[in-house]
Every structure is written in structure tokens, then in C-alpha cells.
Short mmCIF file of all heavy atoms in Angstrom, two decimals:
data_model
loop_
_atom_site.label_atom_id
_atom_site.label_comp_id
_atom_site.label_asym_id
_atom_site.label_seq_id
_atom_site.Cartn_x
_atom_site.Cartn_y
_atom_site.Cartn_z
N THR P 284 0.83 -1.20 0.00
CA THR P 284 0.00 0.00 0.00
C THR P 284 0.87 1.26 0.00
O THR P 284 0.53 2.27 -0.63
CB THR P 284 -0.93 0.01 1.23
OG1 THR P 284 -1.72 -1.19 1.23
CG2 THR P 284 -1.86 1.20 1.20
N LYS P 285 1.99 1.21 0.69
CA LYS P 285 2.92 2.34 0.72
C LYS P 285 3.61 2.54 -0.63
O LYS P 285 3.96 3.66 -1.01
CB LYS P 285 3.97 2.12 1.80
CG LYS P 285 3.41 2.16 3.22
CD LYS P 285 4.48 1.79 4.23
CE LYS P 285 3.90 1.73 5.65
NZ LYS P 285 4.93 1.29 6.63
N LYS P 286 3.80 1.44 -1.37
CA LYS P 286 4.52 1.51 -2.65
C LYS P 286 3.67 1.99 -3.81
O LYS P 286 4.18 2.61 -4.75
CB LYS P 286 5.08 0.11 -3.00
CG LYS P 286 6.16 -0.39 -2.08
CD LYS P 286 6.58 -1.80 -2.53
CE LYS P 286 7.60 -2.40 -1.59
NZ LYS P 286 7.97 -3.79 -1.99
N ASP P 287 2.38 1.69 -3.78
CA ASP P 287 1.53 1.93 -4.95
C ASP P 287 0.23 2.61 -4.54
O ASP P 287 -0.57 2.03 -3.79
CB ASP P 287 1.24 0.60 -5.67
CG ASP P 287 0.77 0.81 -7.10
OD1 ASP P 287 -0.15 1.62 -7.30
OD2 ASP P 287 1.29 0.14 -8.01
N LYS P 288 0.01 3.80 -5.03
CA LYS P 288 -1.18 4.57 -4.64
C LYS P 288 -2.48 3.98 -5.18
O LYS P 288 -3.58 4.37 -4.75
CB LYS P 288 -1.05 6.02 -5.11
CG LYS P 288 -1.01 6.18 -6.62
CD LYS P 288 -0.86 7.64 -7.02
CE LYS P 288 -0.85 7.80 -8.54
NZ LYS P 288 -0.71 9.23 -8.94
N ARG P 289 -2.39 3.05 -6.13
CA ARG P 289 -3.60 2.43 -6.69
C ARG P 289 -4.18 1.37 -5.76
O ARG P 289 -5.30 0.89 -5.97
CB ARG P 289 -3.28 1.79 -8.05
CG ARG P 289 -2.81 2.80 -9.10
CD ARG P 289 -2.33 2.08 -10.35
NE ARG P 289 -1.17 1.24 -10.10
CZ ARG P 289 -0.58 0.46 -11.01
NH1 ARG P 289 -1.06 0.42 -12.24
NH2 ARG P 289 0.47 -0.28 -10.68
N ILE P 290 -3.44 1.02 -4.72
CA ILE P 290 -3.88 -0.04 -3.80
C ILE P 290 -4.68 0.53 -2.63
O ILE P 290 -4.28 1.51 -2.00
CB ILE P 290 -2.66 -0.83 -3.26
CG1 ILE P 290 -1.96 -1.57 -4.40
CG2 ILE P 290 -3.10 -1.81 -2.18
CD1 ILE P 290 -0.70 -2.31 -3.98
N LYS P 291 -5.82 -0.11 -2.35
CA LYS P 291 -6.60 0.17 -1.15
C LYS P 291 -6.56 -1.07 -0.26
O LYS P 291 -6.73 -2.19 -0.76
CB LYS P 291 -8.06 0.48 -1.51
CG LYS P 291 -8.26 1.72 -2.36
CD LYS P 291 -9.73 1.89 -2.69
CE LYS P 291 -9.98 3.10 -3.57
NZ LYS P 291 -11.42 3.20 -3.94
N TYR P 292 -6.36 -0.87 1.03
CA TYR P 292 -6.27 -2.01 1.94
C TYR P 292 -7.36 -1.92 3.01
O TYR P 292 -7.53 -0.89 3.66
CB TYR P 292 -4.90 -2.06 2.60
CG TYR P 292 -4.79 -3.13 3.67
CD1 TYR P 292 -4.97 -4.47 3.36
CD2 TYR P 292 -4.53 -2.78 5.00
CE1 TYR P 292 -4.88 -5.44 4.34
CE2 TYR P 292 -4.43 -3.76 5.98
CZ TYR P 292 -4.62 -5.09 5.64
OH TYR P 292 -4.54 -6.05 6.60
N ILE P 293 -8.09 -3.02 3.17
CA ILE P 293 -9.17 -3.09 4.17
C ILE P 293 -8.99 -4.35 5.00
O ILE P 293 -8.77 -5.44 4.45
CB ILE P 293 -10.56 -3.11 3.50
CG1 ILE P 293 -10.82 -1.81 2.73
CG2 ILE P 293 -11.66 -3.31 4.54
CD1 ILE P 293 -10.49 -1.90 1.27
N PHE P 294 -9.08 -4.21 6.31
CA PHE P 294 -9.03 -5.37 7.21
C PHE P 294 -10.43 -5.57 7.80
O PHE P 294 -11.06 -4.63 8.28
CB PHE P 294 -8.03 -5.15 8.34
CG PHE P 294 -7.91 -6.34 9.26
CD1 PHE P 294 -6.97 -7.33 9.03
CD2 PHE P 294 -8.75 -6.47 10.36
CE1 PHE P 294 -6.87 -8.43 9.88
CE2 PHE P 294 -8.67 -7.57 11.20
CZ PHE P 294 -7.72 -8.55 10.95
N THR P 295 -10.93 -6.80 7.74
CA THR P 295 -12.24 -7.11 8.34
C THR P 295 -12.10 -8.36 9.20
O THR P 295 -11.15 -9.13 9.06
CB THR P 295 -13.31 -7.38 7.27
OG1 THR P 295 -13.01 -8.61 6.58
CG2 THR P 295 -13.37 -6.25 6.26
N GLU P 296 -13.06 -8.58 10.06
CA GLU P 296 -13.09 -9.84 10.80
C GLU P 296 -13.42 -10.97 9.82
O GLU P 296 -14.03 -10.74 8.78
CB GLU P 296 -14.12 -9.79 11.92
CG GLU P 296 -15.55 -9.60 11.46
CD GLU P 296 -16.52 -9.52 12.62
OE1 GLU P 296 -16.56 -8.48 13.29
OE2 GLU P 296 -17.24 -10.52 12.84
N ASN P 297 -13.01 -12.16 10.16
CA ASN P 297 -13.16 -13.30 9.27
C ASN P 297 -14.63 -13.67 9.06
O ASN P 297 -15.32 -14.07 9.98
CB ASN P 297 -12.39 -14.50 9.82
CG ASN P 297 -12.51 -15.72 8.93
OD1 ASN P 297 -13.04 -16.75 9.34
ND2 ASN P 297 -12.04 -15.61 7.70
N LYS P 298 -15.09 -13.51 7.80
CA LYS P 298 -16.45 -13.87 7.44
C LYS P 298 -16.50 -14.76 6.20
O LYS P 298 -17.58 -15.13 5.75
CB LYS P 298 -17.28 -12.62 7.19
CG LYS P 298 -17.49 -11.75 8.42
CD LYS P 298 -18.33 -10.53 8.08
CE LYS P 298 -18.54 -9.65 9.31
NZ LYS P 298 -19.33 -8.42 8.96
N GLY P 299 -15.36 -15.06 5.62
CA GLY P 299 -15.32 -15.92 4.45
C GLY P 299 -15.10 -15.15 3.16
O GLY P 299 -15.30 -13.94 3.08
N CYS P 300 -14.69 -15.90 2.14
CA CYS P 300 -14.35 -15.30 0.84
C CYS P 300 -15.53 -14.57 0.21
O CYS P 300 -15.36 -13.49 -0.38
CB CYS P 300 -13.84 -16.40 -0.09
SG CYS P 300 -13.28 -15.81 -1.70
N SER P 301 -16.72 -15.14 0.31
CA SER P 301 -17.90 -14.51 -0.30
C SER P 301 -18.14 -13.12 0.28
O SER P 301 -18.40 -12.16 -0.47
CB SER P 301 -19.13 -15.38 -0.09
OG SER P 301 -19.08 -16.54 -0.88
N SER P 302 -18.08 -13.01 1.58
CA SER P 302 -18.29 -11.71 2.22
C SER P 302 -17.22 -10.71 1.82
O SER P 302 -17.51 -9.52 1.62
CB SER P 302 -18.31 -11.86 3.75
OG SER P 302 -19.45 -12.58 4.17
N ALA P 303 -15.97 -11.18 1.69
CA ALA P 303 -14.88 -10.30 1.26
C ALA P 303 -15.11 -9.81 -0.16
O ALA P 303 -14.92 -8.62 -0.47
CB ALA P 303 -13.55 -11.04 1.37
N ARG P 304 -15.52 -10.70 -1.06
CA ARG P 304 -15.82 -10.28 -2.43
C ARG P 304 -16.99 -9.30 -2.47
O ARG P 304 -16.97 -8.32 -3.22
CB ARG P 304 -16.14 -11.51 -3.29
CG ARG P 304 -14.94 -12.36 -3.65
CD ARG P 304 -15.38 -13.63 -4.34
NE ARG P 304 -14.26 -14.44 -4.79
CZ ARG P 304 -14.35 -15.71 -5.16
NH1 ARG P 304 -15.54 -16.32 -5.14
NH2 ARG P 304 -13.29 -16.38 -5.57
N ASN P 305 -18.02 -9.57 -1.67
CA ASN P 305 -19.18 -8.67 -1.64
C ASN P 305 -18.78 -7.28 -1.15
O ASN P 305 -19.28 -6.27 -1.67
CB ASN P 305 -20.27 -9.25 -0.74
CG ASN P 305 -20.91 -10.50 -1.33
OD1 ASN P 305 -20.83 -10.74 -2.54
ND2 ASN P 305 -21.55 -11.29 -0.49
N LEU P 306 -17.90 -7.23 -0.16
CA LEU P 306 -17.40 -5.95 0.32
C LEU P 306 -16.64 -5.23 -0.79
O LEU P 306 -16.76 -4.01 -0.97
CB LEU P 306 -16.50 -6.16 1.54
CG LEU P 306 -15.87 -4.91 2.15
CD1 LEU P 306 -16.95 -3.93 2.60
CD2 LEU P 306 -14.97 -5.29 3.33
N GLY P 307 -15.87 -6.00 -1.56
CA GLY P 307 -15.14 -5.43 -2.69
C GLY P 307 -16.09 -4.82 -3.72
O GLY P 307 -15.80 -3.76 -4.28
N ILE P 308 -17.20 -5.48 -3.97
CA ILE P 308 -18.21 -4.94 -4.89
C ILE P 308 -18.71 -3.59 -4.39
O ILE P 308 -18.80 -2.62 -5.15
CB ILE P 308 -19.39 -5.93 -5.05
CG1 ILE P 308 -18.95 -7.19 -5.80
CG2 ILE P 308 -20.55 -5.26 -5.78
CD1 ILE P 308 -19.98 -8.30 -5.81
N ASP P 309 -19.02 -3.53 -3.10
CA ASP P 309 -19.58 -2.30 -2.52
C ASP P 309 -18.56 -1.16 -2.48
O ASP P 309 -18.94 0.02 -2.63
CB ASP P 309 -20.10 -2.57 -1.11
CG ASP P 309 -21.34 -3.46 -1.10
OD1 ASP P 309 -22.05 -3.48 -2.13
OD2 ASP P 309 -21.59 -4.13 -0.09
N LEU P 310 -17.29 -1.48 -2.31
CA LEU P 310 -16.26 -0.44 -2.19
C LEU P 310 -15.68 0.00 -3.53
O LEU P 310 -15.07 1.06 -3.63
CB LEU P 310 -15.11 -0.94 -1.30
CG LEU P 310 -15.45 -1.21 0.17
CD1 LEU P 310 -14.24 -1.81 0.88
CD2 LEU P 310 -15.90 0.06 0.87
N SER P 311 -15.87 -0.81 -4.55
CA SER P 311 -15.23 -0.54 -5.84
C SER P 311 -15.81 0.70 -6.51
O SER P 311 -17.00 1.02 -6.37
CB SER P 311 -15.41 -1.75 -6.76
OG SER P 311 -16.77 -1.96 -7.07
N VAL P 312 -14.96 1.40 -7.26
CA VAL P 312 -15.40 2.57 -8.02
C VAL P 312 -15.21 2.37 -9.52
O VAL P 312 -15.62 3.23 -10.31
CB VAL P 312 -14.66 3.85 -7.56
CG1 VAL P 312 -14.97 4.16 -6.11
CG2 VAL P 312 -13.17 3.73 -7.78
N GLY P 313 -14.63 1.26 -9.92
CA GLY P 313 -14.41 1.00 -11.34
C GLY P 313 -15.70 0.61 -12.06
O GLY P 313 -16.66 0.14 -11.44
N GLU P 314 -15.70 0.80 -13.37
CA GLU P 314 -16.85 0.41 -14.18
C GLU P 314 -16.94 -1.12 -14.30
O GLU P 314 -18.03 -1.66 -14.49
CB GLU P 314 -16.74 1.01 -15.58
CG GLU P 314 -16.81 2.52 -15.61
CD GLU P 314 -16.58 3.07 -17.01
OE1 GLU P 314 -16.93 2.38 -17.99
OE2 GLU P 314 -16.05 4.19 -17.14
N TYR P 315 -15.81 -1.78 -14.16
CA TYR P 315 -15.75 -3.24 -14.26
C TYR P 315 -15.01 -3.80 -13.06
O TYR P 315 -14.20 -3.11 -12.43
CB TYR P 315 -15.04 -3.67 -15.56
CG TYR P 315 -15.87 -3.38 -16.80
CD1 TYR P 315 -15.86 -2.13 -17.39
CD2 TYR P 315 -16.68 -4.37 -17.37
CE1 TYR P 315 -16.63 -1.85 -18.51
CE2 TYR P 315 -17.46 -4.11 -18.49
CZ TYR P 315 -17.42 -2.85 -19.05
OH TYR P 315 -18.20 -2.59 -20.16
N ILE P 316 -15.29 -5.07 -12.74
CA ILE P 316 -14.70 -5.72 -11.56
C ILE P 316 -14.05 -7.04 -11.96
O ILE P 316 -14.61 -7.82 -12.75
CB ILE P 316 -15.77 -5.99 -10.47
CG1 ILE P 316 -16.41 -4.68 -10.01
CG2 ILE P 316 -15.16 -6.71 -9.29
CD1 ILE P 316 -17.49 -4.86 -8.95
N TRP P 317 -12.87 -7.27 -11.38
CA TRP P 317 -12.15 -8.53 -11.59
C TRP P 317 -11.82 -9.11 -10.22
O TRP P 317 -11.19 -8.45 -9.40
CB TRP P 317 -10.87 -8.27 -12.37
CG TRP P 317 -10.11 -9.50 -12.81
CD1 TRP P 317 -10.48 -10.80 -12.67
CD2 TRP P 317 -8.84 -9.51 -13.46
NE1 TRP P 317 -9.54 -11.63 -13.20
CE2 TRP P 317 -8.51 -10.87 -13.70
CE3 TRP P 317 -7.95 -8.52 -13.88
CZ2 TRP P 317 -7.33 -11.27 -14.33
CZ3 TRP P 317 -6.77 -8.91 -14.51
CH2 TRP P 317 -6.47 -10.26 -14.73
N PHE P 318 -12.27 -10.33 -9.95
CA PHE P 318 -11.98 -11.02 -8.70
C PHE P 318 -10.77 -11.93 -8.89
O PHE P 318 -10.78 -12.82 -9.75
CB PHE P 318 -13.18 -11.85 -8.24
CG PHE P 318 -14.43 -11.04 -8.03
CD1 PHE P 318 -15.44 -11.05 -8.98
CD2 PHE P 318 -14.60 -10.28 -6.89
CE1 PHE P 318 -16.60 -10.32 -8.80
CE2 PHE P 318 -15.75 -9.53 -6.69
CZ PHE P 318 -16.75 -9.54 -7.65
N ILE P 319 -9.74 -11.72 -8.08
CA ILE P 319 -8.52 -12.52 -8.17
C ILE P 319 -8.28 -13.20 -6.83
O ILE P 319 -8.43 -12.57 -5.77
CB ILE P 319 -7.31 -11.64 -8.55
CG1 ILE P 319 -7.49 -11.09 -9.97
CG2 ILE P 319 -6.00 -12.40 -8.43
CD1 ILE P 319 -6.37 -10.16 -10.41
N ASP P 320 -7.90 -14.48 -6.85
CA ASP P 320 -7.58 -15.19 -5.61
C ASP P 320 -6.14 -14.90 -5.20
O ASP P 320 -5.24 -14.81 -6.05
CB ASP P 320 -7.77 -16.70 -5.79
CG ASP P 320 -9.24 -17.09 -5.85
OD1 ASP P 320 -10.10 -16.22 -5.58
OD2 ASP P 320 -9.54 -18.25 -6.17
N SER P 321 -5.90 -14.82 -3.91
CA SER P 321 -4.60 -14.36 -3.40
C SER P 321 -3.47 -15.36 -3.60
O SER P 321 -2.30 -15.01 -3.47
CB SER P 321 -4.71 -14.02 -1.91
OG SER P 321 -5.19 -15.14 -1.18
N ASP P 322 -3.78 -16.62 -3.92
CA ASP P 322 -2.72 -17.60 -4.17
C ASP P 322 -2.47 -17.80 -5.66
O ASP P 322 -1.70 -18.67 -6.05
CB ASP P 322 -3.03 -18.94 -3.49
CG ASP P 322 -4.41 -19.47 -3.84
OD1 ASP P 322 -5.20 -18.73 -4.48
OD2 ASP P 322 -4.71 -20.61 -3.48
N ASP P 323 -3.12 -17.00 -6.50
CA ASP P 323 -2.93 -17.06 -7.95
C ASP P 323 -2.19 -15.81 -8.42
O ASP P 323 -1.89 -14.91 -7.64
CB ASP P 323 -4.28 -17.17 -8.65
CG ASP P 323 -5.04 -18.43 -8.27
OD1 ASP P 323 -4.39 -19.41 -7.87
OD2 ASP P 323 -6.28 -18.43 -8.36
N PHE P 324 -1.93 -15.72 -9.72
CA PHE P 324 -1.30 -14.51 -10.26
C PHE P 324 -1.69 -14.35 -11.72
O PHE P 324 -2.17 -15.29 -12.35
CB PHE P 324 0.22 -14.55 -10.09
CG PHE P 324 0.91 -15.66 -10.84
CD1 PHE P 324 1.54 -15.41 -12.07
CD2 PHE P 324 0.97 -16.94 -10.33
CE1 PHE P 324 2.18 -16.42 -12.76
CE2 PHE P 324 1.62 -17.97 -11.02
CZ PHE P 324 2.23 -17.71 -12.23
#
């Protein structure tokens, strides 16, 4: 987050991947959304 201004970081209590993705939908400002898993690239 310190290296790249395009990154937003949010910490939440553990609710599962679905809840995290849903939060991403609500917080996103882009016209399109891409969901990426953290163990992939």
C-alpha cells in the first residue's frame, strides 16, 4: 500500500471469501470488476 497509490487495503473480521468479495463490490469505483484469488497470479 505504501509503494503503490492504486492499492486500497481493508481489514475485516473473518467472514469468508464470499463476504470479502461482496465488500469489494460495494467499495469498488471501477466500471468493471475482476476477482482474483490471493494464491494465484
Side-chain angles (χ1 to χ4, degrees):
T284 304
K285 293 174 184 176
K286 293 179 184 177
D287 198 310
K288 64 180 181 180
R289 298 172 297 177
I290 295 177
K291 297 178 181 177
Y292 174 61
I293 297 96
F294 182 91
T295 68
E296 62 181 75
N297 180 242
K298 295 180 180 178
C300 183
S301 289
S302 292
R304 286 173 176 165
N305 291 340
L306 179 59
I308 291 171
D309 291 336
L310 295 175
S311 65
V312 297
E314 295 175 30
Y315 290 84
I316 300 179
W317 187 5
F318 301 102
I319 294 178
D320 287 351
S321 57
D322 52 352
D323 298 335
F324 63 99

